Amino acid sequence: MVRLENVGLRYGRGPEILRDLTLKLEPGSFHFLTGPSGAGKTSLLRLLYLAHPPTRGLISLFGEDVTGAARRRKVDLRRKVGVVFQEFRLLDHVDVFENVSLPLRVAGRERWEYEEDVRELLTWVGLGERSHALPPTLSGGEKQRVAIARAVVGKPDILLADEPTGNVDPEMGRRLMRLFTELNRLGATVLIATHDPDLIRAVNAPALRLDDGQVTRLGKAAR
Amino acid sequence: MAKRTRSAALLPPVRRNDRPLFFVVAIIVALACMSGVAARAAWSASSAWTSDLSGAMTVEVRPRAGDDPSELARRAAEAVARTPGVAAATAMTRAEQEDLLAPWFGAEGLPADVPLPGVVDVRLERLAPATADEIAAALAAAGLDARVDDHGRWTRDLKRAAVAVRALAFGALLMLAGAAVAVTGFATRASLAARADVVEVLHLVGARDEFIAKAFTGRFIGLGVRAGILGAFLAALAAAGFWAVSGGLAPVEDNFLPRFSFAPADVIILASAPLVSAFVAAMTARETVLKELRRTY
């Protein structure tokens, strides 16, 4: 499903953020990604959602080498990947409903096809009554829930999340994690970058530790 | 919970930033319309002139001592009228010739002792006109010493002038189109930069380049139509002002210079301006966005 071989990444002429990184995530697996700040967790996720090409090495998604993939093909692959960005990246000028339904809309789906599903999802993440609110009027936790709903609304095959529960209370955090585990149960490969040890303990899933540009696979017991 | 059936615009409105572009495009469209209307008017006038000149010839009969020019002209007219391809041949009287010379010699006319040649005004058949050589041969056969003027020197000059005017107008239109493309491209890049965060999100959630370009194209079509309407309106005002100043309401007289007048083609030029403007703006915006997206992502 996800395979990286000897991947290196540097931005411009800067130092190498990721070095000779080799990693394989099986289809339907659930992993946490941990490591100190600046270890390259966000950069690794950026590689996986095809926001940036690697400086060297090979990245394969769904058994397909994406490093040399055509532009249109990359869009097809990107549509199979849901992403929760650390800084949310919501569109401030459109409401919660429009933000959440964005991946469906850009994929060419008609509003009548997805409206009920989106409203149900908004209710699930506790934003049923806030669907017409604009992001600047939302709290940090509400924005995070909108970002998560947007990431999962298209039922992606791969879900990548960067600190997805950092701004919500523990109860909402557990509720959102159930959303991820449910998606995983339905077959999605999930990778969640987090600093939160409680979150890792709450889910019975292995962790990958990224340190100094390289990844170490930790067993469940090593968490 | 209230349901909406239409999706919101994906690009935030920034009308204040678009306003200068709107006025620049409107001015460009107005200039383009004016040069189009001017070219049309010049072309129509030159066509009318050349049509008048090329459908007619003038025969000048040189009198010998003792000959009556009017009698020579009458004989020449009869000879020419029998020539195939001639619709009519009319001998001009001395009074008619003096009328033609009035702008140079005044209404008093010429002194009676100034000789004038015999002149015949020849109108040709439209479909199979006679040539100057055929008419000259007919005059020679009638024993007349005459010179036939087919107005070739004038028509050649007029045609050359008309081609020059048309080339000038076409060049002006090309330059204005280039200016419109350049200014729209610049504005699109500025617009793209101002909405870079939105474009990146669209890109990352799986939008194709064409989808993003369409969001911009839609906005620029609206701008092109609005600016085109204003530009066409300004051009129509300018043309109407020129028409009024140049005596458009006065009775038509036989002036050497043509009078400016509105024609159906002008309406077509002005009416198509918003469409052309929208098309140019949309295509430029689309190509600019696609190019920038390929460069950035």
Side-chain angles (χ1 to χ4, degrees), chain A residues 51 71-72 75-76 78-79 85 89 91 93-95 98 102 105-106 111 115-116 119 128 131-132 150, chain B residues 1-12 200-201 203-206 208-211 293 297:
Chain A
R71 196 171 172 78
R72 288 186 70 83
V75 175
D76 292 335
R78 203 176 281 125
R79 287 179 178 178
F85 303 101
R89 297 204 182 188
L91 302 186
H93 64 287
V94 296
D95 65 21
E98 295 288 351
L102 195 58
R105 189 172 165 188
V106 302
R111 187 181 172 102
E115 184 156 8
E116 289 305 318
R119 295 200 183 284
S131 67
H132 294 308
R150 184 179 64 187
Chain B
M1 194 182 300
K3 286 188 180 179
R4 287 181 304 178
T5 52
R6 283 191 65 198
S7 297
L10 287 175
L11 296 178
E200 186 173 21
V201 170
H203 177 72
L204 291 177
V205 299
R208 293 198 188 284
D209 293 351
E210 291 79 7
F211 182 93
L293 288 174
Y297 300 108

Side-chain angles (χ1 to χ4, degrees), chain B residues 3 31 158 166 168 172 193 204 211 223 255 295:
Chain B
K3 286 188 180 179
L31 291 172
L158 278 172
R166 190 161 60 169
L168 200 66
L204 291 177
F211 182 93
L223 185 142
N255 293 331
R295 193 178 64 79

Side-chain angles (χ1 to χ4, degrees), chain A residues 63-203:
Chain A
E64 188 174 337
D65 175 12
V66 298
T67 42
R71 196 171 172 78
R72 288 186 70 83
R73 185 63 192 143
K74 278 186 181 173
V75 175
D76 292 335
L77 294 170
R78 203 176 281 125
R79 287 179 178 178
K80 295 180 178 182
V81 181
V83 188
V84 183
F85 303 101
Q86 191 172 13
E87 64 279 25
F88 315 135
R89 297 204 182 188
L90 305 179
L91 302 186
D92 283 347
H93 64 287
V94 296
D95 65 21
V96 165
F97 179 92
E98 295 288 351
N99 266 286
V100 171
S101 55
L102 195 58
L104 305 175
R105 189 172 165 188
V106 302
R109 301 264 302 274
E110 295 295 332
R111 187 181 172 102
W112 61 266
E113 292 178 62
Y114 58 71
E115 184 156 8
E116 289 305 318
D117 290 344
V118 172
R119 295 200 183 284
E120 192 180 328
L121 179 58
L122 284 173
T123 303
W124 172 258
V125 297
L127 293 170
E129 298 301 315
R130 301 283 278 153
S131 67
H132 294 308
L134 292 176
T137 68
L138 301 177
S139 69
E142 286 173 325
K143 287 180 184 174
Q144 194 147 35
R145 281 180 274 158
V146 176
I148 290 170
R150 184 179 64 187
V152 302
V153 72
K155 298 183 179 66
D157 294 320
I158 298 174
L159 180 76
L160 307 172
D162 201 351
E163 301 286 356
T165 58
N167 289 284
V168 295
D169 60 65
E171 173 53 32
M172 181 49 75
R174 281 192 291 277
R175 193 173 169 82
L176 294 175
M177 283 310 297
R178 280 216 300 283
L179 200 58
F180 295 148
T181 52
E182 181 64 17
L183 200 64
N184 175 244
R185 198 180 61 77
L186 292 172
T189 303
V190 178
L191 180 62
I192 298 176
T194 183
H195 280 108
D196 185 356
D198 291 338
L199 190 67
I200 298 173
R201 270 193 292 274
V203 181

Side-chain angles (χ1 to χ4, degrees), chain B residues 263-281:
Chain B
D266 297 332
V267 178
I268 293 171
I269 289 170
L270 295 175
S272 63
L275 301 177
V276 174
S277 160
F279 179 76
V280 170

